[in-house]
Amino acid sequence: MNEVNEQIAIDHGLKKEEFSKICDLLKRTPNLTELGIFSAMWNEHCSYKSSKLHLKKLNTKGKKVIQGPGENAGVIDIEDDDAIVFKIESHNHPSFIEPYQGAATGVGGIMRDVFTMGARPIANLNSIHFGSPQHPKTKNLLRGVVKGIGSYGNCMGIPTVGGQTSFDDSYNGNILVNAMTLGLVNKNKIFYSKAAGIGKPVIYVGSKTGRDGIHGASMASAIFDDKIEEKKPTVQVGDPFTEKLLLEACLELMLGKSIISIQDMGAAGLTSSSIEMASKGNLGIELNLNKVPCREDKMTPYEIMLSESQERMLIILENGKEDEAKKIFDKWNLDFAIIGKTTDSKKIELFFDNNRVAEIPINILAESAPIYDRKWKKTKLPQKIKFDKDDFKKLKITEVLKKVLGLPNISSKEWIWQQYDQTVMGDTILKPGYDSGVVRVHGTNKAVATSVDSSAVYCYAHPLTGGKQVVCENWRNLISCGSKPIAITNCLNFGNPEKEKNMGEFVECVEGINEASKFLNYPVVSGNVSFYNETKDKGIKPTPAIGGVGLIKDYKKIVTMNLKNNENLILVIGKTEGHIDQSIFAINILNEKKGPPPVVNLFNEKNNGETILKLIKEELVKSAHDTSLGGIITAVAKMAIKGKKGFKLNKLKVLINKFDYYFGEDQGRYIIEIEPKNLSKVQKILKDNSVHYDEIGLVTEKDVIIDKEPIIHIDDLIKSNKYWLADYMDK
């Protein structure tokens, strides 16, 4: 056994006091293999030691929730014995080091989390964030990430139906790559990771184990420095063709009654999968590491246990089912090995070359990991900015609109979407570029809507408000297409939690997410925390990504965002106060980055959203779109671009100026298109539900007419919006 000391422990990412605690709990010094196991299980990525106290506060229960946090993914009921399994996870650090493989294996990992539970994946989404377009690394990182996401998802035959991309200086040293997957399962055929029974065979299936990805989980809990290139060996290498075989083999085995529990070998590989299964079942587990299929010679127990080679699963079978299972995996040309058994020892016991190389009580690894109540600093709500209205006088609405539509964070991301297969499987109804992606539940009239959203700008200005806002925006995106929102998953991307400001951003964002989740009855059923997104003492802006899922009972009644017919009326649902602090307009046109984010009124969010659903149910809405970045006029312009129609807008005679009105980012609002003949019916429903609205214009053939400004053609707006990213990538 290799001799272990404090310095070796620190080199493994453990703190002095954590190493001391390990020695006390074991009543001895761990050997190197045992230390590696502790470093994997006690790192931030696996133990949630800085976030656990606060995550416990999240609203996780609801009538439609079958499985909340604590499993590979969350599960919700979508009626008729159908359930949706879904989750979002980060692969930030690996994607910054090696963008193609980092992003690819992020997609592969989240899909395994879903099909591990018995669900066939039906849709992928992503939330990806890059540094300034002017930064020398941004273009190559973007190209590699998009190629990695597309290659893996396309090879697996799973459509990518939605996503989000943003650019900000804070991601120059740490890009964010968050991958989300939805799967469909019969709610009576869900599989879990909890081990059960003594003397049950432990089965290794999938790819062989190599030396790639060793310390991947620990690296995900580390701060970057100049030696980033040295970390490339910690990035896993993916093989989507093998994962496709693994998916089909696992689903075939799941048709029978041989599986007791099943777990993906993700972060920390064989270590975390075996320990988590045993811990949930309050059992022990014994493994013979000589039985593990390896693709490299002379791999040590340490390397075998810490490898994060992809496309692998750990299964606990019923006794006597080994041959039946082996036939299935042989048919799919995958490795199958009986590598151990469950025991009543409540320990993990590892054997190699007939020697016991590790022996650790399971509870020490799973339950005794440190939980930190870190100090945190509250963020004060910034004072509102007093804008000089003289700055507005020289501005023209149409010119500002064209500029806004061409900004990196507003412009079309078609260059990205085109690299993803959006329609494979034949059930995609709404592709990327709409408020939500929508996928039909095969063979039924039902469909699920899904969207992923984040707002680092608002969260940075005031984390509590920003946390509420991002949940509400996701809610609005699902409602805009006519779906009833059911539940969310979250990926919480933050800087170093050991810094009070960063920890405060996390705590308050979580508080805001929880507030909105409770009020909207929109529970959190799964998620992930990614800390230490920091390079050379510079961290990212707080970026919680929220992935939501909603149900559409009849997909024929879906509402899309593209404007439909000439002379139809355009209404703004929800009150406009003209909040431009932290808006796209303020930051990019007025060069003002201070001020508070817009106020979030949860009652109005819920009431306005539910009223929109009533209008859609009554078939009174021809098109709909939520109002978010860029305000009313940007939302209408995007609807027009999508429908290749024009529009005429007249600012109402209200106290606020036209720029505040058109570009303000007040929350809780929607743009809807209705037929003139239905105006009185719409007005009545809005009045009955106490919902404010403004009638602001109508649909035209091609002309864009705004107040008394010169008429422009819709093609001018299309040109402004469509080409920035493609031109940027081609340069």
Side-chain angles (χ1 to χ4, degrees), residues 87-92 95 102-104 106-108 110 123-130 142 145-154 158-166 176-182 413 416-422 432-433 435 437 450-454 474 489 491 493 543 545-548:
K87 189 181 182 182
I88 186 170
E89 270 204 344
S90 63
H91 228 222
N92 302 334
S95 299
V107 172
I110 196 65
N124 287 333
L125 301 91
N126 54 75
S127 176
I128 53 179
H129 305 265
F130 300 89
L142 174 59
V145 165
V146 171
K147 189 176 180 182
I149 291 171
S151 294
Y152 209 103
N154 296 354
I158 311 300
T160 299
V161 301
Q164 125 189 83
T165 305
S166 79
L176 302 182
V177 177
N178 297 172
M180 178 176 169
T181 294
L182 280 66
K413 304 303 183 296
I416 294 173
W417 310 328
Q418 286 176 338
Q419 298 182 57
Y420 305 149
D421 194 328
Q422 307 156 27
D435 287 326
T450 181
S451 177
V452 62
D453 301 278
S454 69
N474 186 265
T489 180
C491 193
N493 308 278
T543 313
I546 300 293

Side-chain angles (χ1 to χ4, degrees), residues 146-390:
V146 171
K147 189 176 180 182
I149 291 171
S151 294
Y152 209 103
N154 296 354
C155 288
M156 285 289 293
I158 311 300
T160 299
V161 301
Q164 125 189 83
T165 305
S166 79
F167 300 87
D168 188 272
D169 290 354
S170 77
Y171 307 119
N172 285 347
N174 282 263
I175 66 171
L176 302 182
V177 177
N178 297 172
M180 178 176 169
T181 294
L182 280 66
L184 180 67
V185 68
N186 183 300
K187 65 184 180 185
N188 299 312
K189 291 289 288 183
I190 300 167
F191 289 81
Y192 298 94
S193 59
K194 179 181 176 181
I198 307 300
K200 304 296 182 182
V202 177
I203 312 298
Y204 172 117
V205 298
S207 290
K208 288 180 168 60
T209 295
R211 291 188 170 93
D212 58 312
I214 293 173
H215 288 302
S218 300
M219 179 270 294
S221 304
I223 298 168
F224 285 160
D225 55 28
D226 289 326
K227 298 180 180 178
I228 184 174
E229 292 296 316
E230 295 176 8
K231 298 184 183 290
K232 279 194 175 184
T234 65
V235 179
Q236 309 91 336
V237 178
D239 178 0
F241 298 102
T242 299
E243 177 136 332
K244 174 64 174 173
L245 299 177
L246 184 61
L247 162 68
E248 299 300 339
C250 287
L251 293 181
E252 184 175 340
L253 183 62
M254 288 167 172
L255 293 173
K257 296 181 178 180
S258 54
I259 297 176
I260 296 173
S261 64
I262 181 168
Q263 176 75 39
D264 159 45
M265 289 193 224
L270 186 54
T271 290
S272 63
S273 56
S274 58
I275 291 165
E276 286 173 13
M277 293 170 89
S279 173
K280 289 174 182 176
N282 196 27
L283 299 171
I285 196 161
E286 181 182 297
L287 301 178
N288 182 349
L289 300 185
N290 291 103
K291 302 286 188 180
V292 174
C294 294
R295 66 169 181 262
E296 298 184 50
D297 293 334
K298 297 181 180 178
M299 288 191 69
T300 65
Y302 176 95
E303 292 171 326
I304 293 168
M305 290 302 293
L306 295 184
S307 167
E308 293 185 13
S309 294
Q310 298 290 285
E311 296 85 40
R312 303 178 300 159
M313 294 279 192
L314 203 62
I315 302 173
I316 295 175
L317 289 178
E318 294 284 4
N319 294 109
K321 298 291 184 177
E322 297 92 334
D323 289 344
E324 178 186 322
K326 187 175 186 304
K327 283 179 184 176
I328 291 173
F329 285 92
D330 284 349
K331 183 181 84 173
W332 291 100
N333 198 29
L334 294 165
D335 277 288
F336 176 98
I338 303 169
I339 65 169
K341 62 183 181 182
T342 57
T343 69
D344 60 0
S345 69
K346 297 185 181 180
K347 297 176 181 179
I348 182 167
E349 298 172 272
L350 306 180
F351 294 86
F352 188 73
D353 291 346
N354 295 317
N355 294 311
R356 189 190 303 267
V357 295
E359 183 179 9
I360 310 171
I362 294 287
N363 68 317
I364 291 178
L365 291 163
E367 300 163 23
S368 299
I371 298 176
Y372 294 122
D373 186 5
R374 297 197 184 277
K375 292 181 179 179
W376 59 277
K377 189 175 180 181
K378 194 170 183 176
T379 302
K380 291 182 180 178
L381 185 68
Q383 293 290 313
K384 280 189 74 92
I385 302 296
K386 293 181 180 178
F387 292 95
D388 187 348
K389 301 304 179 185
D390 287 339

Side-chain angles (χ1 to χ4, degrees), residues 629-642:
L629 293 182
I632 288 170
I633 198 164
T634 305
V636 174
K638 284 192 169 184
M639 295 170 78
I641 290 168
K642 208 71 176 172

Side-chain angles (χ1 to χ4, degrees), residues 379-422:
T379 302
K380 291 182 180 178
L381 185 68
Q383 293 290 313
K384 280 189 74 92
I385 302 296
K386 293 181 180 178
F387 292 95
D388 187 348
K389 301 304 179 185
D390 287 339
D391 292 341
F392 295 1
K393 291 179 180 178
K394 59 188 177 185
L395 299 176
K396 300 287 185 186
I397 290 280
T398 50
E399 293 306 310
V400 173
L401 176 59
K402 285 193 282 186
K403 185 174 179 179
V404 166
L405 288 171
L407 292 169
N409 289 336
I410 299 292
S411 64
S412 169
K413 304 303 183 296
E414 191 173 344
W415 181 88
I416 294 173
W417 310 328
Q418 286 176 338
Q419 298 182 57
Y420 305 149
D421 194 328
Q422 307 156 27

Side-chain angles (χ1 to χ4, degrees), residues 498-651:
E498 297 168 49
K499 294 180 178 179
E500 291 184 20
K501 183 179 184 298
N502 292 347
M503 193 65 204
E505 290 171 342
F506 174 81
V507 172
E508 292 191 284
C509 271
V510 169
E511 187 180 335
I513 290 168
N514 188 46
E515 244 184 86
S517 167
K518 278 185 176 177
F519 198 93
L520 299 175
N521 192 24
Y522 201 26
V524 180
V525 297
S526 59
N528 169 238
V529 177
S530 175
F531 278 135
Y532 297 98
N533 292 289
E534 188 167 303
T535 297
K536 295 182 182 177
D537 210 39
K538 183 173 174 58
I540 64 165
K541 287 177 180 172
T543 313
I546 300 293
V549 177
L551 176 64
I552 301 168
K553 292 189 178 183
D554 184 355
Y555 70 84
K556 295 174 184 174
K557 294 184 178 180
I558 287 172
V559 172
T560 59
M561 64 184 282
N562 46 301
L563 294 180
K564 304 297 191 302
N565 297 315
N566 298 352
E567 304 301 319
N568 278 352
L569 303 177
I570 299 172
L571 275 61
V572 180
I573 307 301
K575 192 166 180 60
T576 299
E577 305 281 356
H579 186 103
I580 61 171
D581 298 66
Q582 297 297 333
S583 69
I584 286 286
F585 176 75
I587 293 169
N588 294 277
I589 306 300
L590 304 178
N591 198 31
E592 178 57 74
K593 298 180 180 179
K594 296 179 181 178
V599 174
V600 176
N601 183 314
L602 291 173
F603 176 84
N604 287 345
E605 285 283 1
K606 188 174 185 180
N607 190 43
N608 294 357
E610 290 177 345
T611 305
I612 291 288
L613 286 180
K614 288 178 184 175
L615 293 171
I616 291 173
K617 187 178 180 181
E618 295 294 323
E619 299 185 13
L620 297 171
V621 178
K622 302 304 290 184
S623 68
H625 182 39
D626 83 301
T627 304
S628 53
L629 293 182
I632 288 170
I633 198 164
T634 305
V636 174
K638 284 192 169 184
M639 295 170 78
I641 290 168
K642 208 71 176 172
K644 296 181 179 177
K645 304 294 289 187
F647 58 90
K648 181 180 180 180
L649 297 184
N650 290 297
K651 188 186 93 53

